[in-house]
Amino acid sequence: MEEQIDMVGKAFVDHYYHLFDNDRPSLSSLYQPSSMLTFEGQKIQGVDEIAAKLNQLPFDQCRHVISTIDSQPSSITGGIVVFVSGSLQLLGEEHLLRFSQMFHLIPMLQGNFFVQNDIFRLNYG
Amino acid sequence: MEEQIDMVGKAFVDHYYHLFDNDRPSLSSLYQPSSMLTFEGQKIQGVDEIAAKLNQLPFDQCRHVISTIDSQPSSITGGIVVFVSGSLQLLGEEHLLRFSQMFHLIPMLQGNFFVQNDIFRLNYG
């Protein structure tokens, strides 16, 4: 069970950042109307609002490099909390931005999940 | 509602790190048998196991300084996810350790919460 949670968390993280770096508009498919994103302290709710925020970030091309993924079952049946740390490299910038992000994934039909909670913070040293 | 979530999140965070820095054994009161802690990648479940881990960390006195607190309602009725960033100062060490931590709080009777999910990571620059 524990191993399966880790596999699901890792698969989600791979999928999420692959979409973010290669097809950012498609990230909207991972959210639902109840979903919440807090991005650097700014609170946003709803699929369209979250998609707009992600698509309007002040950089076009970027690459996420993941350092750690920690997953646990949440107390919702089948729910998973995922905690990620990593680096974000923007096109044309050498400096890496360190970040931490958490997701609360809720199961849907057919083995899919949606993101109920998403909190992103850059790590300032 | 949103403001109340933020107030509860902040009150929890203040309480948690106050206990951590001043009466670490009392942290066990915040966990339940179902609680999970992932500490720097190590997974621990249960009140006694989590308390043992926290009490056996390789430092006695420390001080947490909180930089950011982001709180959202989780999809459990009354549940809250809290994402914290901050610094940890160990007694006799000048260097601050940056960390990120998330909690998933589940409501109990009388307005109290317990920690269902707790994930801690040091931020390496």
Side-chain angles (χ1 to χ4, degrees), chain B residues 29-74:
Chain B
S29 65
L30 301 177
Y31 297 92
Q32 292 282 310
S34 64
S35 301
M36 280 167 280
L37 166 66
T38 305
F39 188 91
E40 286 285 284
Q42 183 189 358
K43 290 189 180 192
I44 299 146
Q45 181 162 14
V47 179
D48 294 346
E49 292 77 3
I50 290 171
K53 175 66 187 177
L54 296 176
N55 290 318
Q56 290 164 12
L57 290 174
F59 50 87
D60 283 330
Q61 284 187 267
C62 64
R63 190 170 67 96
H64 289 81
V65 179
I66 303 309
S67 303
T68 64
I69 305 171
D70 296 309
S71 302
Q72 293 179 353
S74 81

Side-chain angles (χ1 to χ4, degrees), chain A residues 48-68:
Chain A
D48 295 345
E49 292 76 3
I50 291 171
K53 176 67 187 177
L54 296 176
N55 290 319
Q56 290 164 12
L57 290 174
F59 50 87
D60 284 330
Q61 283 186 268
C62 64
R63 192 169 65 96
H64 290 81
V65 179
I66 304 309
S67 303
T68 64

Side-chain angles (χ1 to χ4, degrees), chain B residues 13-24:
Chain B
V13 166
D14 288 347
H15 182 56
Y16 181 91
Y17 294 108
H18 179 80
L19 286 184
F20 200 117
D21 294 351
N22 295 283
D23 184 16
R24 209 185 306 169

Side-chain angles (χ1 to χ4, degrees), chain B:
Chain B
M1 180 62 180
E2 183 175 310
E3 199 172 293
Q4 195 186 340
I5 294 280
D6 288 335
M7 284 173 54
V8 172
K10 181 176 186 315
F12 169 79
V13 166
D14 288 347
H15 182 56
Y16 181 91
Y17 294 108
H18 179 80
L19 286 184
F20 200 117
D21 294 351
N22 295 283
D23 184 16
R24 209 185 306 169
S26 295
L27 286 175
S28 64
S29 65
L30 301 177
Y31 297 92
Q32 292 282 310
S34 64
S35 301
M36 280 167 280
L37 166 66
T38 305
F39 188 91
E40 286 285 284
Q42 183 189 358
K43 290 189 180 192
I44 299 146
Q45 181 162 14
V47 179
D48 294 346
E49 292 77 3
I50 290 171
K53 175 66 187 177
L54 296 176
N55 290 318
Q56 290 164 12
L57 290 174
F59 50 87
D60 283 330
Q61 284 187 267
C62 64
R63 190 170 67 96
H64 289 81
V65 179
I66 303 309
S67 303
T68 64
I69 305 171
D70 296 309
S71 302
Q72 293 179 353
S74 81
S75 51
I76 293 172
T77 304
I80 302 178
V81 292
V82 184
F83 185 97
V84 181
S85 72
S87 301
L88 176 60
Q89 184 161 30
L90 307 185
L91 183 69
E93 302 259 351
E94 281 192 36
H95 187 64
L96 294 173
L97 301 168
R98 300 276 311 170
F99 71 91
S100 301
Q101 188 162 14
M102 67 141 291
F103 302 96
H104 186 193
L105 308 180
I106 308 293
M108 303 175 73
L109 293 175
Q110 294 145 353
N112 289 324
F113 290 83
F114 76 92
V115 178
Q116 172 59 28
N117 302 101
D118 178 352
I119 302 179
F120 175 93
R121 280 281 177 184
L122 290 172
N123 298 342
Y124 293 103

